[in-house]
């Protein structure tokens, strides 16, 4: 499929003002100022277009290299049909917009996905407290989406959910479920309690384990799982403010589970318990 910024024009370069402006979105201050972020890759762009068509946000522009346009003609056509400006860019411009070693050559400029913190009616929520690794955070968003969670909340000094690596690790799930963030963990916990959610710390040092709680029926209750950073876990003072703490039992010789794996076990345990009884 042949595309260009305007009929007859050459592809945009890394110095083209629109590319320069978009490149600022690879940094958090630029995203916060513009209220926009970049979604890179065919899968993420596909999900972004579906998100926009559902009226949940807007895709402002699609940058694509000629080679990527030839590989993804249906994606380019979908963007054009949706009224999204499609701009051809050089490989070097695509690299400037990418945070990967091997850019895919397809980048969309989107509204931020975050929504105001409101958990009314939620039964299963993932809270990422101080999680700073974007790959881990994005994977937890993907897991939460797969488990049917109602929302993901980034609390405290956590990574920006619009970080490029976080968006890629979510494989488009950032567009599927409500995502909120607040620097005040107390505000997040208060919102969870106001929604009737039981705050459960995922803590490898907890006295009680997930299986015992499940057998007792505790996981059937509306739950907000609170996960800490992979390096440090949840601070003791935070765990002390929550309703309970549970650990994933380890039956083999592994010292621990990584954040995303532990989140998958916990969220799916709650999802199964809730769906079995409701």
């Amino acid at each position: 499929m042949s595309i260009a910024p305007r009929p007859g024009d050459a592809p945009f370069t890394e110095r083209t003002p629109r590319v320069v402006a978009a490149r600022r979105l690879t940094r958090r201050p630029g995203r916060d100022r513009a209220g926009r972020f970049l979604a890179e890759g065919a899968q993420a762009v596909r999900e972004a277009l579906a998100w926009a068509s559902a009226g949940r946000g807007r895709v402002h522009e699609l940058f694509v290299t000629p080679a990527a346009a030839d590989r993804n003609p249906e994606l380019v056509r979908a963007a054009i049909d949706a009224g999204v400006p499609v701009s051809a860019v050089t490989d070097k411009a695509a690299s400037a917009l990418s945070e990967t070693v091997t850019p895919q050559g397809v980048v969309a400029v989107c509204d931020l996905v975050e929504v105001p913190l409101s958990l009314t009616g939620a039964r299963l929520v993932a809270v990422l407290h101080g999680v700073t690794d974007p790959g881990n955070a994005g994977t937890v968003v993907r897991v939460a989406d797969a488990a049917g969670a109602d929302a993901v909340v980034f609390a405290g000094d956590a990574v920006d959910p619009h970080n490029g690596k976080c968006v890629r690790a979510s494989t488009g799930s950032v567009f599927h479920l409500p995502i909120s963030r607040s620097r005040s963990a107390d505000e997040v916990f208060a919102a969870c309690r106001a929604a009737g959610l039981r705050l459960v710390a995922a803590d490898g040092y907890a006295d009680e384990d997930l299986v015992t709680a499940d057998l007792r029926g505790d996981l059937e209750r509306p739950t907000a799982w609170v996960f800490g950073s992979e390096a440090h876990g949840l601070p003791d003072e935070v765990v002390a403010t929550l309703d309970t703490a549970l650990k994933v039992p380890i039956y083999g010789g592994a010292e621990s589970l990584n954040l995303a794996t532990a989140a998958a076990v916990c969220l799916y345990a709650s999802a199964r318990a809730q769906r079995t009884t409701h």
Side-chain angles (χ1 to χ4, degrees):
M1 178 176 290
S2 177
I3 58 169
R6 292 187 300 274
D9 282 357
F12 289 159
T13 73
E14 69 279 8
R15 295 184 180 86
T16 302
R18 294 224 306 262
V19 175
V20 172
R23 188 177 184 181
R24 296 191 186 104
L25 304 180
T26 61
R27 299 290 180 265
R28 185 168 187 166
R31 293 190 291 268
D32 289 344
R33 280 194 297 269
R36 301 178 182 182
F37 77 109
L38 300 180
E40 181 186 1
Q43 175 64 18
V45 171
R46 191 174 295 111
E47 299 297 345
L49 291 171
W51 166 80
S53 70
R56 296 172 57 203
R58 180 182 172 191
V59 177
H60 294 268
E61 187 165 12
L62 178 64
F63 295 106
V64 59
T65 64
D70 289 341
R71 289 194 303 269
N72 302 280
E74 77 295 338
L75 195 62
V76 175
R77 175 50 56 191
I80 293 172
D81 290 345
V84 175
V86 178
S87 301
V89 294
T90 63
D91 290 341
K92 195 169 182 181
S95 294
L97 297 176
S98 174
E99 297 176 61
T100 64
V101 177
T102 55
Q104 296 189 40
V106 183
V107 182
V109 178
C110 310
D111 283 340
L112 300 181
V113 298
E114 72 176 278
V115 297
L117 181 60
S118 176
L119 302 173
T120 303
R123 290 189 54 82
L124 183 59
V125 171
V127 177
L128 299 180
H129 182 282
V131 175
T132 58
D133 183 274
N136 286 333
T139 303
V140 174
V141 171
R142 181 181 183 182
V143 165
D145 181 20
D150 297 296
V152 177
V153 183
F154 288 67
D157 190 20
V159 66
D160 179 5
H162 306 96
N163 174 285
K165 188 174 181 180
C166 184
V167 175
R168 289 193 303 278
S170 81
T171 63
S173 286
V174 292
F175 295 106
H176 292 171
L177 75 174
I179 293 177
S180 302
R181 56 176 169 169
S182 172
R183 288 195 175 276
S184 171
D186 289 340
E187 178 188 24
V188 173
F189 298 154
C192 290
R193 289 196 169 98
L197 295 163
R198 184 170 180 248
L199 285 160
V200 181
D203 181 8
Y205 298 100
D207 293 330
E208 195 165 69
D209 67 43
L210 186 70
V211 175
T212 302
D214 190 12
L215 292 172
R216 195 168 52 232
D218 289 352
L219 300 188
E220 300 169 11
R221 300 165 62 180
T223 299
W225 278 100
V226 183
F227 304 102
S229 71
E230 185 160 328
H232 306 293
L234 288 168
D236 292 340
E237 59 270 24
V238 170
V239 175
T241 67
L242 306 183
D243 298 317
T244 192
L246 297 174
K247 63 185 176 184
V248 176
I250 294 178
Y251 302 119
E255 180 187 4
S256 63
L257 295 174
N258 66 30
L259 170 60
T261 302
V265 173
C266 295
L267 290 169
Y268 266 94
S270 285
R272 182 202 59 77
Q274 291 178 3
R275 281 163 174 72
T276 299
T277 56
H278 292 85

